[in-house]
Amino acid sequence: MRIAMIASEAAPFIKTGGLGDVMQALPAALARIPGNQVSLFLPYYKRIKYDPAVEAELVTSFTVHLTWRQQYAGLFRWAGSTDSLAVYFLDNEYYFCRDGLYGFYDDGERFAYYAKAVLSAMEALELQPEIVHCHDWQSALIPVYLEAEFRSSFPQARTVFTIHNVEYQGKADASFFGEVLGLDDRWRGVCSFDEGINFMKAAIVQADLVTTVSETYAQELRYPYFAHGLSGILSSRGERLVGITNGIDTELYDPAADPALAAHYSAANPTGKQRCKQALQKALGLEEKDVPLLAMVTRLASHKGIDLLCYILPRLLERELQLVIVGTGEAKYEYALQAVAAEHPGKFSMNLRFDPTLASQVYAGADLYLMPSKSEPCGLSQLIAMRYGAIPVVNATGGLKDTVPAYNPETGEGRGYTFQSYNGDDFLGAIDRALGDYHAAPAAWAALGKADMEQDFSWTIPAQRYMELYCSIV
Ligand code: GLC
């Protein structure tokens, strides 16, 4: 099958969050299926274009029209492309050669341009994709432009739109329709929502299929608490809103081979994990003693549950344990957490940085991994944590609910500790249950860690599920 994947970030080229991980692993997993030809499109951001490690050559160039605007587009092909997986970059220095990816006053215009540029690129390449799979609001106008202006070039193409996080929808004033989009007036209704233009809403209405990144989140999105205004629109898609839980790159995240670690280990031979814990304590200036080590690797954003963490922190730190946090984000959380950490040297290590090497070391060194997210479309860190034998403590929402069934010490079933509503005391209660089991039943605890590590987190199954969906609409 010929599949075009369109996103605004993909590792290893560029990544700001989980979307970047998914866009590295999913296209690769699809490309491994015999008969598939996957083309991945990305903006040619400054950081990609001037990265000496990323070689690409110009294929062609053309002009993209957005009402009166006539913008250059250069189409580059990554030198590492293969027959089954080609990566293309859309070049326009005015839109993409900036510091950072998103958050500019003209983001709407930048990604409207991107949508049209990608469709023109597919035309120039004579790609004829059977599936055009778009991710998040940055590529959400593609199903619209495809139908409105490119249908004759791609008579067979079917569109899939995946929501990785409904919080970010791509919104603009109503005037954006006439000033930038340049679509025929009959598309105004599709693109409009709440008296403005809403990219994500347009894709939800227009795409042949809408998916999201876990089954529970697909259900939650039908409710106002989770859907950030789009519950009605999302419910109206009925069965055509499907959840497929993400995997992780199990080669990249492998405690038996991860070059960042002080020692390697696996479910079959877990002894190295203790060495990783000691190395982490030493590296971060924590006291080198045998206490449960709790960890978080996270963006410091409110939907990640940082409020709950701050609320329980004084009580949590009265317990015999150590806490390591890695991440950056909202200033108020950075200040608050740093201030508490300064009062607890040797016990609480706060690392305000984005550092994949340290992140690996933390997953490997941790006994417990905390993820109190208010909502979580899928969540990848709890999967990485389990793969590294750190037991998750999570709010049972979205993908966390699907991937961390509650542990029952009586039967040994389940994968971690959960709490059922967004509430700090319940969060602390779940941590206390975990700490209780950690101390009271070391053998059962070790068995839980082993069972967590043995799970199949690879992309093989999710990629198959996407194939089934694709086949259902082509
Ligand atoms: C977004 C979501 C996260 C998900 C990721 C990849 O970052 O917030 O839950 O795992 O996308 O789909």
Side-chain angles (χ1 to χ4, degrees):
M1 192 178 284
R2 290 181 303 276
I3 304 160
M5 283 270 169
I6 303 102
S8 57
E9 53 181 87
F13 307 108
I14 199 145
K15 152 181 152 178
T16 68
L19 173 66
D21 289 307
V22 172
M23 295 317 299
Q24 174 174 32
L26 174 59
L30 289 168
R32 277 193 295 271
I33 297 173
N36 279 353
Q37 243 180 304
V38 182
S39 311
L40 170 65
F41 291 87
L42 293 169
Y44 212 8
Y45 298 109
K46 184 166 159 183
R47 264 181 38 214
I48 304 180
K49 190 167 181 179
Y50 295 103
D51 181 345
V54 181
E55 250 181 78
E57 66 175 42
L58 182 68
V59 180
T60 183
S61 65
F62 44 84
T63 302
V64 174
H65 300 265
L66 286 171
T67 61
W68 52 266
R69 296 167 193 78
Q70 300 189 20
Q71 283 287 355
Y72 163 87
L75 174 64
F76 285 74
R77 183 183 156 100
W78 178 47
S81 298
T82 62
D83 287 343
S84 58
L85 177 59
V87 182
Y88 296 100
F89 304 114
L90 269 308
D91 180 39
N92 177 299
E93 297 219 339
Y94 168 65
Y95 287 131
F96 297 130
C97 264
R98 304 183 186 183
D99 294 321
L101 275 65
Y102 324 121
F104 300 98
Y105 76 98
D106 58 347
D107 276 1
E109 180 182 323
R110 294 169 71 220
F111 289 101
Y113 160 84
Y114 180 54
K116 277 191 115 168
V118 167
L119 288 160
S120 303
M122 297 193 318
E123 234 175 12
L125 292 165
E126 295 179 22
L127 265 191
Q128 285 303 334
E130 291 153 281
I131 291 291
V132 175
H133 190 161
C134 310
H135 298 264
D136 273 353
W137 73 267
Q138 294 91 340
S139 50
L141 290 176
I142 287 179
V144 175
Y145 278 121
L146 170 57
E147 196 58 44
E149 298 182 4
F150 289 83
R151 191 39 100 185
S152 58
S153 301
F154 309 112
Q156 263 130 44
R158 292 288 168 267
T159 52
V160 179
F161 179 65
T162 296
I163 300 172
H164 293 263
N165 194 336
V166 80
E167 199 174 337
Y168 309 104
Q169 298 173 4
K171 294 179 183 171
D173 289 346
S175 61
F176 188 84
F177 187 83
E179 274 166 20
V180 180
L181 293 182
L183 285 159
D184 187 280
D185 211 51
R186 71 199 160 91
W187 289 95
R188 192 183 289 275
V190 169
C191 300
S192 299
F193 188 70
D194 249 4
E195 288 162 27
I197 298 302
N198 186 314
F199 287 30
M200 189 175 266
K201 181 260 175 173
I204 294 167
V205 174
Q206 186 56 36
D208 292 302
L209 258 180
V210 181
T211 79
T212 189
V213 290
S214 70
E215 280 164 38
T216 294
Y217 195 59
Q219 295 309 318
E220 289 172 344
L221 281 176
R222 298 162 206 261
Y223 296 92
Y225 178 81
F226 292 99
H228 291 266
L230 294 181
S231 55
I233 302 287
L234 284 158
S235 307
S236 73
R237 295 279 345 210
E239 311 239 293
R240 307 233 110 185
L241 167 60
V242 182
I244 298 181
T245 303
N246 290 329
I248 52 173
D249 184 329
T250 45
E251 274 170 40
L252 197 65
Y253 297 112
D254 182 3
D258 188 334
L261 305 189
H264 290 140
Y265 60 96
S266 62
N269 186 3
T271 41
K273 187 165 169 69
Q274 194 57 29
R275 288 220 359 244
C276 290
K277 180 170 171 180
Q278 287 157 355
L280 182 70
Q281 288 173 322
K282 203 178 171 95
L284 297 180
L286 295 169
E287 283 177 54
E288 292 170 52
K289 58 180 186 187
D290 189 16
V291 292
L293 197 152
L294 282 55
M296 291 177 83
V297 178
T298 182
R299 247 176 311 131
L300 301 175
S302 82
H303 83 264
K304 290 291 179 188
I306 310 302
D307 294 309
L308 290 197
L309 175 75
C310 291
Y311 170 70
I312 66 164
L313 206 46
R315 280 180 288 161
L316 183 67
L317 290 169
E318 283 167 12
R319 288 152 175 73
E320 182 73 353
L321 49 76
Q322 293 176 342
L323 177 63
V324 176
I325 299 179
V326 183
T328 59
E330 291 173 35
K332 61 174 181 186
Y333 297 130
E334 294 194 352
Y335 285 125
L337 293 170
Q338 225 171 5
V340 180
E343 288 164 15
H344 296 85
K347 179 162 190 171
F348 174 14
S349 166
M350 183 67 222
N351 305 276
L352 288 178
R353 57 185 199 267
F354 175 79
D355 180 344
T357 302
L358 177 60
S360 275
Q361 293 162 350
V362 169
Y363 288 118
D367 298 299
L368 282 176
Y369 188 81
L370 311 181
M371 209 153 162
S373 308
K374 191 169 192 175
S375 70
E376 195 60 77
C378 177
L380 301 173
S381 355
Q382 83 279 14
L383 304 179
I384 304 170
M386 287 189 275
R387 177 130 171 99
Y388 282 67
I391 313 295
V393 179
V394 306
N395 180 18
T397 184
L400 296 174
K401 185 171 177 187
D402 294 341
T403 59
V404 187
Y407 174 62
N408 178 344
E410 304 288 310
T411 63
E413 281 165 33
R415 292 289 168 263
Y417 295 80
T418 64
F419 56 104
Q420 307 296 327
S421 64
Y422 189 68
N423 170 313
D425 298 296
D426 290 350
F427 178 33
L428 188 58
I431 296 174
D432 280 337
R433 274 187 281 125
L435 294 174
D437 290 346
Y438 173 94
H439 291 296
W445 185 265
L448 174 58
K450 184 170 188 284
D452 278 5
M453 291 182 72
E454 276 170 345
Q455 295 178 88
D456 180 1
F457 295 120
S458 76
W459 272 95
T460 315
I461 296 166
Q464 278 302 343
R465 289 211 53 208
Y466 278 110
M467 285 307 293
E468 285 159 20
L469 274 189
Y470 297 163
C471 290
S472 75
I473 53 172
V474 296

